[in-house]
Amino acid sequence: MSTLRNATVIVIHGAWADGSSWEPVIRRLQDDGFHVVAAPIPLTSLSEDAEALRRTIARTQGPVIVAGHAYAGAVVGTANDERVKALVYVAALAPDEGETVADVFYREASHPKAPKLAPDADGFIWMPDESFAEAFAQNATAEQIALSRAVQRPISVRSIQEPITSPAWKTKRSWYLLAEEDRMIHPTTQRFLAERMNATIRSFAVDHTPLLTAPDKVTGIIREAAQTALL
């Protein structure tokens, strides 16, 4: 247990969110004794998001577990630092070398209630307000949905069009929480990505954002990754 208490869990928010989306999970991990840091990625390009993660890792000491939600799976894939001992993907995208986020996101047909996404004049993609309740987190409370709308941060087209290089999941142990009721990233795509990574898969009947709607399950898979990789 002392090794676990010396570990840091870095959590990374996805598109249309910020670090507050991890709040229920952060509290649970802190109760377990983990040091937890939410990496503040700018969502301006994959390389700039990766650099933000690198800076966050540099601020920590000891072993690190990196967990990412949705788009942030691509950012998790850049965590090649030797102190990173495990990767956790939560309903997340995991491009292979040479692939983009868009390549894997659009691999399957969209859910009927998935948002119609298009960039604005500045090249940023916003989530339509109604889609937070219909697709982003259909199992969330009204209060959670209202807060998610209020704090949403758009993602740049550059973030989803930049190819990844040397994904970390090829050399590090990975865990994947598969969201069976996801309306944003098709569950079939999630399974394909998780199996391609040879990740340990935990599948649950949850929506796209279990950080909010099923935090015990997200905390559980991070705890499992830490206990397996660090003990």
Side-chain angles (χ1 to χ4, degrees), residues 17-66:
D18 64 9
S20 67
S21 62
W22 281 92
E23 184 267 342
V25 175
I26 290 171
R27 289 184 182 275
R28 286 163 171 78
L29 291 171
Q30 289 173 334
D31 287 344
D32 283 346
F34 290 103
H35 179 53
V36 189
V37 179
I41 62 172
L43 298 174
T44 47
S45 74
L46 180 56
S47 57
E48 289 168 347
D49 294 338
E51 180 63 15
L53 173 59
R54 185 200 64 76
R55 291 193 299 267
T56 301
I57 294 173
R59 293 177 49 233
T60 69
Q61 295 181 342
V64 174
I65 308 297
V66 179

Side-chain angles (χ1 to χ4, degrees), residues 15 37 41 183 195 197 210:
V37 179
I41 62 172
R183 296 177 180 176
E195 291 178 349
M197 287 192 292

